[in-house]
Amino acid sequence: MTGTKSRVGLSKGFRQAHLNLPGEINSSGTLTPATALSFSGRDFIFHLVFRRHRHLLLICALTKPIHHHYPSIHHRRLLPSLPALQHQIKKTCEEISRGQDQKQGLKEMKKSRVTKAVKVEVKNDNTRWWSTHMGISAPFICVSLFAVLVRLAVSLHPHSGAGDPPKYGDFEAQRHWMEITTSLPVNEWYQNTTENDLSYWGLDYPPLTAYQSYVHGLVLRFFHPESVSLYSSRGHESYFGKLLMRWTVLTSDVLIFFPAVLWLIVAFANQSRGHKSNIAWHVAMILLNPCLILIDHGHFQYNCISLGLTVGAVAAVLCDKDLVASFLFSLALNHKQMSTYYAPAFFSYLLGKCLKRQNPFLEVSKLGMIVIGTFALVWWPYLHSRVTVLEVLSRLAPFERGLYEDYVANFWCTTSVLIKWKRLFTTQSLKLLCLFLTVCSSLPSMFLQIRAPSTRTFVYGLLNSAFSFYLFSFQVHEKSILLPLLPASILAVEEPFVFQWFTQFALLSMFPLLCRDKLLLPYIALYGIFIFVYYAPNGKPDTPKTRFWSRVTLFFVVFLLFLSFVLHIVYLTINPPKKYPFLFEAIIMLLCFSQFVLIAVYTNWKQWVLSMKSPLGSEKKRV
Amino acid sequence: MKHPNQEKQQLKEKHTQLQNPHRHILKDLFWFSFIATFFKLLLIPAYHSTDFEVHRNWLALTHTLPLSQWYTDETSPWTLDYPPFFAYFERFLTLFASLVDPTITDLYNGLNYKAPTVIIFQRLSVIASDTVLIYSIYKLTNNMQLKKRFLIWVLVVWSPGLLIVDHVHFQYNGFLLGILLISLGALQKGHDLFGGFVFAVLLCFKHLFAVAGPVYFVYLFRHYCRGGILRGSGKLVTMGTVVVGVFLAAYGPFAYYGQIQQVLRRMFPFGRGLCHAYWAPNFWVFYILSDKVLAYVLSRLGFHTQPPTASFTGGLVGDSSPFSILPTINPSVTFAIVLLAISPCLVKAWKNPDPKMIVRQVAYAYTCGFLFGWHVHEKASLHFLIPLAIVAIESIEDARHYFILSIVSVYSLFPLLYEAQEYPIKVVLLLLHVALMWFGFSSQFSESASLSKNGGLVSRWIERIYLVGFVGVEVWGQFVHPLVFGDRLPFLPLMMISFYCALGMMYSWIWQLRCIIRLR
């Protein structure tokens, strides 16, 4: 184990500080590796404070043997100021003495799983060792470079609708938006005019997408004007034009999604959820998510921007910066209206937190101001009259496109095998029904958040609300599975198996779509990379294997994996019977739907258990 | 939360790990190689050079024609110019190729065939043949510490040079270097006969590897054929029989048809010039440039100089000199210089044939071949870059040298992928490699005091400036040059890359030479 090794090297010669500590540490004098080890076997609670020359080291690790936490010492980013540290040492010592008398206090601390590891160098002449060893930067740089490489390699493959006139695919839609936004004035972007035929890939995303298209369109116009010229560029597919388009996605990904993930990881490290040795693994799980890469860099979309903004908002929530969080999430909403999937979680968490404060009304109005301000800023060009606002709004709600698209693994599409919803109800009543079911299914999660808002359950809340939208809302697309998948990837450290299971079936649910895009090869490759990175040596956090992998579950897991493998092969090789041309799509959809429902039920239950366990919520977390 | 069961499980796992370390090593190595493999799959639609068609033509040729016509066929300009074993290897691949798509192996209809089947088949054949490299690296590292092992795997299995040359540009270097590493691994473990046998096989796959032949000969003669005159000569005969046997298996059929002359003519096309179209970053870059500078200076001083009539990248030798001032170089001169450069290493191997040094010595021989050889390709730098990875983790000095050498070598491969689509791929590949090396070496040598005292991995200021200079060269070539000169002087950026990388190569050569002389 590498962690143990570095620990031994570290604690050599460290001397104890002049602090009143209970127990054997006090009597041992010098802390040798051996004493540290003997401690790790006996109890799960350690508070060691020692000093060497002018280095001060403080470790308080709870609920796990010390060698699990030791790698965290290399993490140097979270240095508090010196007085704060002294305060912390004092507090820790008090906690220890209290803990020895009162088992109750210890238990509570155990429950909250507070883990803190801080290294302070009052004056350090040997910084290089630390910076090059195992901070956050090294794993993040390596993993993100690899993630960029994978994205670049995927972008060599065909995009959606390549060489498929007259409507082409999402690639053409995005290119057309660049063409429209760079050639026409702002107020005509959402209007049906002679220059802007809305029936041909008219803009149907909020203004931030339009601005993004405008900026990217300017870049394209500078380097390759033919690819965005009005009218003449429809269906434009040149080597250089395609390349530039691909690079715009990549740069948005690197400039928005990657920094957001970095912030999230730092926030996680601050919270000390999971150990630091998993940092590389966790970053890889988020950045190498095969679904997101395939849709953005293969199929061609800009999900990385809205999802990146959402990740940023989550990181802000974890860092307790609620105003920043609401700003970023408003931006995400204004980039893709699909971000509404997360809205219940953000809303209920922030509301619940405001209610816990001294002056709830003030807090709520502060957040409200931020949200309204952001929206006003983004919608500024359209705010001068009601007509224009309604025009844009009507573009954003494509109710004419029907209850669902293709074979999406949600409630409506799956049950329509038995119940023909579209024939039984009018669109109007279906809309209401969808709304009702979506709200109902997300209510439990929202209620828990409002009652006891905590950062730990917040990510579960995100997942649950995204799930309820995916399963029950109106006009869901296969690609929408990316939205529940994102919080699941953030939860990868806590729920590795669920995340992996979910990713596999999310991929499967998009398989027919990706086959149509001729992305079979990257599908296989990314699936392989994902599985192998998931089982990286020393990467994955330990799961309680013995409990989970009982024989029955193991049987089901293997059976379902085999089934999905067979489905892949059958879909590729066998022609469906003429009577049911979409038979295999329907089977894939059924399988995926069943798994999604299972996962959604589990995560809802988990959120309930977690928020019941720590009734004091986030207040407890902030040590 | 921690469960007692879980702890037990962990202990159990650790126990099995200790009991069966080889299985564990294999598991980890599979992990590394599969990550690489899946990434290689993603690269299938990337740009490929004319070498792709060369190998396709060889497939067709070995499939359709009888053995006697393999080295005489001229249907395509890309005639067979590798030794017989490689031709047999292509013949073996056609067994599958003709099943996948018969057009691939069609000598006439298959010319410049570009269907997805042929691209996927040939790319997959390269990926599959890399198994040899994985096997060799497993053999080499299975007794090392975990950390060292991982580092070597990162350097070899994830080598950006091999990815660029094999999986984008298209060649079978991974497979061939795998054979070389098997041979070196055998020598390191003292299995001299097997090592010699494998090296003979390698020579019959690709004759360019023959540069290390003298080192092998001296080492095996001194190390294997020890123990008195009688025993020694007995062993010499054994070794000789094995090597001759291998060569007979390769060239025998062609000797039977009386084609040895033809085969050799194909394999050694000395009609080519001193340098390749893009100058490999070696000694001759300085030679050519100094000739140009001298000619310019002398003509400025009023001397009459004859402008060269021939190009040094092509044309027949002997007709006219491509140089205006300095003497002409012909193949025999380069041969002599290479031998001269290798000789210190030969003396060392003669005096003290040490299995620990053989990797360095072989790598040094390839370095000499690269620096002073005739018509060297830039890809040949992989021949010493990959073997040196094995010794790169031995000391901090080795790591420092390898860090610079590998950047130089990979950067010198950049001109191979000249299309815009692959540009970011090669740059990010190099960056990732640098990051992995940096963090890997730093954590490997973090305990040794010399790293922190001497200022990290790149210690000397001149090395730092040199490495930063790469950014300058790249920025000039990609952005400033097109702005300043437009389409004029298109060869100038390439020349700059050659010159700049040649500096690093010379440094590496001197470092290796010093290392070989100094180390016992």
Side-chain angles (χ1 to χ4, degrees):
Chain A
M1 231 184 181
T2 47
T4 319
K5 195 169 178 297
S6 53
R7 187 188 65 74
V8 172
L10 187 90
S11 51
K12 217 176 269 174
F14 275 65
R15 284 187 179 279
Q16 205 184 322
H18 307 290
L19 281 157
N20 192 19
L21 284 172
E24 287 170 40
I25 318 172
N26 221 0
S27 55
S28 63
T30 310
L31 188 81
T32 63
T35 53
L37 272 178
S38 73
F39 264 80
S40 69
R42 246 188 38 188
D43 205 326
F44 287 137
I45 299 160
F46 298 90
H47 297 263
L48 313 177
V49 185
F50 27 83
R51 185 206 283 271
R52 174 207 183 193
H53 307 306
R54 290 153 95 182
H55 300 220
L56 210 64
L57 189 74
L58 160 76
I59 306 161
C60 347
L62 278 156
T63 73
K64 287 209 171 172
I66 191 160
H67 56 265
H68 272 271
H69 290 283
Y70 235 99
S72 55
I73 306 160
H74 309 311
H75 174 54
R76 212 160 50 91
R77 292 292 131 88
L78 3 145
L79 303 186
S81 61
L82 198 58
L85 184 86
Q86 279 164 351
H87 175 72
Q88 189 128 35
I89 293 172
K90 223 181 205 174
K91 226 172 107 188
T92 311
C93 294
E94 281 167 15
E95 270 174 1
I96 292 170
S97 49
R98 229 190 312 134
Q100 285 208 331
D101 304 333
Q102 308 166 335
K103 287 281 189 246
Q104 189 56 38
L106 277 179
K107 263 184 195 162
E108 231 168 65
M109 281 156 71
K110 247 186 191 176
K111 244 185 229 165
S112 59
R113 296 181 73 196
V114 183
T115 314
K116 250 212 154 85
V118 188
K119 180 180 189 297
V120 171
E121 286 143 88
V122 182
K123 217 175 209 178
N124 197 347
D125 51 357
N126 188 13
T127 47
R128 195 174 289 274
W129 196 90
W130 298 99
S131 60
T132 53
H133 209 66
M134 275 286 275
I136 281 188
S137 55
F140 185 80
I141 289 172
C142 292
V143 172
S144 56
L145 278 173
F146 181 64
V148 170
L149 208 52
V150 168
R151 281 160 167 76
L152 279 167
V154 171
S155 71
L156 299 172
H157 294 261
H159 50 74
S160 62
D164 183 23
K167 285 221 57 170
Y168 305 94
D170 276 346
F171 177 84
E172 170 64 10
Q174 300 285 352
R175 198 209 49 71
H176 180 67
W177 294 349
M178 293 180 196
E179 169 197 332
I180 293 296
T181 48
T182 46
S183 317
L184 301 177
V186 186
N187 50 354
E188 283 181 30
W189 288 353
Y190 290 90
Q191 273 173 359
N192 203 4
T193 58
T194 43
E195 269 107 13
N196 186 9
D197 175 15
L198 285 183
S199 64
Y200 183 83
W201 296 119
L203 251 173
D204 52 5
Y205 279 165
L208 198 59
T209 296
Y211 303 145
Q212 165 245 318
S213 296
Y214 177 69
V215 172
H216 285 154
L218 288 182
V219 175
L220 252 74
R221 197 163 67 179
F222 181 78
F223 287 105
H224 198 240
E226 304 94 82
S227 62
V228 284
S229 58
L230 197 60
Y231 293 132
S232 62
S233 66
R234 289 206 178 167
H236 180 94
E237 280 176 11
S238 63
Y239 175 82
F240 199 52
K242 180 190 161 191
L243 207 58
L244 280 174
M245 290 281 285
R246 291 289 201 193
W247 287 352
T248 58
V249 187
L250 189 78
T251 44
S252 347
D253 213 347
V254 171
L255 290 179
I256 296 174
F257 194 70
F258 283 52
V261 171
L262 177 63
W263 190 20
L264 181 83
I265 293 295
V266 171
F268 252 84
N270 275 334
Q271 287 225 328
S272 297
R273 302 217 317 238
H275 356 105
K276 265 83 177 181
S277 58
N278 303 124
I279 282 178
W281 185 83
H282 195 189
V283 174
M285 283 297 106
I286 303 176
L287 289 184
L288 289 173
N289 193 327
C291 302
L292 181 60
I293 300 178
L294 280 170
I295 292 297
D296 273 11
H297 300 267
H299 178 88
F300 204 91
Q301 279 195 343
Y302 290 90
N303 291 302
C304 51
I305 299 180
S306 62
L307 293 184
L309 291 169
T310 311
V311 171
V314 174
V317 163
L318 295 184
C319 292
D320 240 1
K321 295 189 168 67
D322 296 343
L323 296 180
V324 180
S326 46
F327 169 70
L328 285 175
F329 183 64
S330 306
L331 285 184
L333 273 175
N334 275 311
H335 189 264
K336 275 201 162 191
Q337 63 269 46
M338 279 211 297
S339 306
T340 330
Y341 284 29
Y342 302 126
F346 276 99
F347 171 74
S348 54
Y349 172 79
L350 293 176
L351 180 69
K353 221 173 139 186
C354 289
L355 293 180
K356 288 268 184 305
R357 295 263 170 84
Q358 278 183 342
N359 197 343
F361 183 74
L362 183 73
E363 301 290 332
V364 172
S365 53
K366 261 204 279 187
L367 290 175
M369 290 298 284
I370 288 282
V371 172
I372 292 169
T374 317
F375 267 80
L377 202 70
V378 175
W379 286 66
W380 189 252
Y382 305 99
L383 286 181
H384 55 85
S385 81
R386 243 186 82 187
V387 185
T388 45
V389 174
L390 286 178
E391 238 170 29
V392 180
L393 273 180
S394 70
R395 291 294 309 160
L396 300 187
F399 285 119
E400 73 280 0
R401 279 166 78 178
L403 185 56
Y404 47 83
E405 265 189 30
D406 299 331
Y407 277 82
V408 54
N410 75 349
F411 175 76
W412 302 111
C413 192
T414 313
T415 48
S416 71
V417 176
L418 300 171
I419 310 160
K420 301 292 169 206
W421 297 105
K422 285 182 186 170
R423 266 184 246 156
L424 282 174
F425 298 95
T426 60
T427 311
Q428 195 57 40
S429 48
L430 271 179
K431 267 193 259 179
L432 285 175
L433 197 60
C434 285
L435 183 69
F436 175 71
L437 276 181
T438 313
V439 170
C440 279
S441 57
S442 58
L443 262 183
S445 154
M446 284 177 74
F447 170 73
L448 290 173
Q449 289 282 320
I450 295 174
R451 190 179 146 269
S454 90
T455 50
R456 182 126 192 262
T457 52
F458 168 67
V459 189
Y460 283 96
L462 278 178
L463 180 55
N464 292 332
S465 73
F467 252 134
S468 56
F469 270 80
Y470 178 81
L471 291 175
F472 297 110
S473 73
F474 195 85
Q475 229 285 313
V476 175
H477 201 276
E478 293 110 310
K479 286 167 259 174
S480 311
I481 197 64
L482 289 177
L483 288 124
L485 200 53
L486 181 79
S489 66
I490 296 174
L491 281 174
V493 173
E494 283 173 55
E495 304 280 353
F497 178 75
V498 170
F499 168 61
Q500 183 242 39
W501 197 243
F502 185 21
T503 308
Q504 294 205 15
F505 285 95
L507 254 181
L508 178 64
S509 76
M510 294 196 302
F511 183 61
L513 173 83
L514 295 170
C515 273
R516 253 177 284 142
D517 292 342
K518 300 185 193 77
L519 290 171
L520 180 64
L521 194 65
Y523 179 90
I524 298 169
L526 284 182
Y527 186 74
I529 289 180
F530 173 74
I531 291 295
F532 273 89
V533 170
Y534 179 80
Y535 288 109
N538 296 337
K540 193 166 63 99
D542 313 311
T543 38
K545 272 183 192 164
T546 41
R547 204 180 47 164
F548 189 84
W549 296 96
S550 63
R551 292 248 168 104
V552 184
T553 22
L554 190 67
F555 171 76
F556 274 109
V557 165
V558 172
F559 173 73
L560 284 174
L561 284 180
F562 178 72
L563 195 67
S564 62
F565 177 74
V566 169
L567 268 177
H568 280 115
I569 304 291
V570 164
Y571 186 82
L572 286 176
T573 51
I574 300 175
N575 282 324
K578 283 215 177 89
K579 210 174 158 195
Y580 307 104
F582 296 108
L583 177 70
F584 300 141
E585 276 95 339
I587 298 175
I588 289 178
M589 169 191 82
L590 274 173
L591 180 66
C592 293
F593 175 69
S594 64
Q595 297 311 308
F596 293 162
V597 168
L598 269 180
I599 295 168
V601 169
Y602 170 77
T603 51
N604 269 297
W605 170 79
K606 188 76 192 263
Q607 190 191 356
W608 185 76
V609 169
L610 284 177
S611 48
M612 285 303 144
K613 265 190 171 176
S614 57
L616 287 174
S618 61
E619 258 59 43
K620 186 79 192 144
K621 296 279 126 44
R622 268 177 265 123
V623 180
Chain B
M1 254 173 259
K2 202 84 188 168
H3 297 277
N5 278 351
Q6 193 185 337
E7 205 133 302
K8 253 184 216 163
Q9 179 89 16
Q10 276 185 351
L11 276 177
K12 214 170 139 193
E13 268 174 21
K14 223 169 207 176
H15 189 63
T16 42
Q17 275 175 29
L18 287 176
Q19 268 189 335
N20 198 347
H22 283 270
R23 215 176 118 204
H24 197 65
I25 295 172
L26 265 183
K27 216 175 95 190
D28 286 351
L29 183 58
F30 275 140
W31 187 84
F32 274 84
S33 55
F34 271 102
I35 293 278
T37 303
F38 286 118
F39 181 68
K40 290 166 191 171
L41 283 180
L42 282 177
L43 288 177
I44 284 180
Y47 151 87
H48 51 78
S49 69
T50 48
D51 276 347
F52 183 82
E53 173 60 14
V54 171
H55 284 94
R56 200 225 38 87
N57 182 48
W58 293 357
L59 283 176
L61 177 138
T62 49
H63 183 73
T64 29
L65 298 176
L67 192 85
S68 56
Q69 290 174 35
W70 285 4
Y71 283 92
T72 52
D73 176 74
E74 278 178 353
T75 321
S76 157
W78 313 116
T79 53
L80 183 59
D81 57 4
Y82 270 28
F85 272 175
F86 203 86
Y88 299 158
F89 172 66
E90 296 275 5
R91 179 74 185 82
F92 169 72
L93 288 181
T94 59
L95 295 180
F96 309 100
S98 51
L99 286 181
V100 173
D101 183 358
T103 323
I104 299 175
T105 52
D106 194 309
L107 193 55
Y108 300 100
N109 295 330
L111 284 177
N112 294 314
Y113 190 46
K114 283 281 145 67
T117 47
V118 64
I119 292 178
I120 291 178
F121 175 78
Q122 293 224 70
R123 292 279 199 202
L124 284 183
S125 73
V126 181
I127 294 173
S129 68
D130 273 352
T131 324
V132 178
L133 182 73
I134 306 293
Y135 172 76
S136 70
I137 210 72
Y138 167 69
K139 277 286 172 196
L140 270 167
T141 54
N142 58 6
N143 287 329
M144 286 186 182
Q145 290 169 10
L146 182 112
K147 231 175 177 181
K148 286 188 174 179
R149 212 160 53 208
F150 276 19
L151 249 174
I152 293 180
W153 293 348
V154 166
L155 296 180
V156 177
V157 181
W158 293 354
S159 158
L162 281 177
L163 277 172
I164 288 176
V165 176
D166 280 10
H167 300 277
V168 182
H169 176 87
F170 199 84
Q171 272 193 350
Y172 288 90
N173 287 297
F175 164 64
L176 298 168
L177 284 166
I179 302 178
L180 176 69
L181 291 188
I182 290 177
S183 163
L184 288 176
L187 291 191
Q188 267 192 343
K189 286 186 178 143
H191 309 312
D192 288 353
L193 188 62
F194 183 67
F197 164 73
V198 174
F199 186 67
V201 170
L202 175 67
L203 291 189
C204 296
F205 267 105
K206 195 174 181 181
H207 49 301
L208 283 179
F209 283 97
V211 184
V215 177
Y216 260 89
F217 178 76
V218 171
Y219 175 79
L220 288 177
F221 186 71
R222 291 287 293 168
H223 193 259
Y224 179 64
C225 311
R226 282 174 308 189
I229 291 177
L230 205 65
R231 230 180 120 212
S233 51
K235 280 187 164 180
L236 187 64
V237 169
T238 321
M239 181 62 85
T241 324
V242 166
V243 171
V244 168
V246 170
F247 275 83
L248 260 186
Y251 294 92
F254 299 98
Y256 173 77
Y257 291 116
Q259 288 181 339
I260 286 296
Q261 282 269 311
Q262 171 67 16
V263 172
L264 290 182
R265 212 176 306 134
R266 279 281 175 83
M267 278 164 51
F268 297 99
F270 279 117
R272 295 182 189 173
L274 175 63
C275 289
H276 190 57
Y278 154 64
W279 306 346
N282 61 8
F283 172 75
W284 301 117
V285 171
F286 301 121
Y287 193 79
I288 294 164
L289 283 181
S290 50
D291 179 68
K292 301 260 179 226
V293 171
L294 270 180
Y296 178 76
V297 170
L298 284 182
S299 67
R300 265 317 192 56
L301 289 175
F303 290 94
H304 177 68
T305 53
Q306 189 115 41
T309 47
S311 148
F312 32 70
T313 56
L316 285 172
V317 196
D319 295 352
S320 56
S321 165
F323 300 104
S324 33
I325 310 292
L326 296 174
T328 315
I329 302 296
N330 54 35
S332 50
V333 174
T334 60
F335 184 70
I337 297 181
V338 170
L339 260 190
L340 190 74
I342 297 179
S343 55
C345 159
L346 294 182
V347 172
K348 266 283 178 194
W350 181 273
K351 275 189 190 157
N352 180 20
D354 183 2
K356 277 185 205 137
M357 288 297 291
I358 186 67
V359 173
R360 287 173 197 278
Q361 286 166 345
V362 168
Y364 173 74
Y366 286 130
T367 314
C368 296
F370 179 82
L371 278 181
F372 304 106
W374 180 264
H375 195 85
V376 174
H377 283 239
E378 63 280 14
K379 293 157 237 166
S381 64
L382 291 175
H383 293 183
F384 53 92
L385 185 70
I386 299 296
L388 277 176
I390 299 157
V391 289
I393 35 84
E394 279 182 6
S395 74
I396 177 80
E397 290 303 316
D398 283 306
R400 281 179 178 150
H401 163 248
Y402 191 82
F403 186 76
I404 292 174
L405 172 67
S406 128
I407 293 174
V408 171
S409 170
V410 174
Y411 184 72
S412 75
L413 297 173
F414 270 23
L416 280 179
L417 315 182
Y418 55 86
E419 288 197 10
Q421 188 174 238
E422 284 76 21
Y423 182 75
I425 294 187
K426 63 184 181 185
V427 173
V428 178
L429 259 178
L430 179 59
L431 287 180
L432 176 63
H433 186 60
V434 170
L436 285 173
M437 277 198 297
W438 180 270
F439 296 125
F441 284 139
S442 303
S443 77
Q444 170 70 29
F445 298 108
S446 55
E447 268 104 59
S448 79
S450 58
L451 186 71
S452 41
K453 261 182 207 159
N454 298 347
L457 204 56
V458 186
S459 53
R460 295 180 198 93
W461 59 271
I462 191 151
E463 289 172 355
R464 287 182 192 177
I465 291 174
Y466 180 70
L467 288 182
V468 172
F470 276 107
V471 180
V473 172
E474 186 59 21
V475 168
W476 171 269
Q478 290 297 326
F479 307 105
V480 184
H481 184 88
L483 283 179
V484 177
F485 291 104
D487 288 338
R488 284 175 298 132
L489 304 174
F491 54 85
L492 189 66
L494 287 184
M495 226 158 82
M496 275 176 66
I497 295 178
S498 289
F499 175 76
Y500 203 71
C501 291
L503 290 174
M505 288 292 179
M506 290 305 277
Y507 161 80
S508 163
W509 174 63
I510 293 166
W511 187 89
Q512 287 185 53
L513 181 63
R514 224 182 51 181
C515 176
I516 281 182
I517 292 173
R518 267 197 200 160
L519 285 176
R520 294 191 305 105

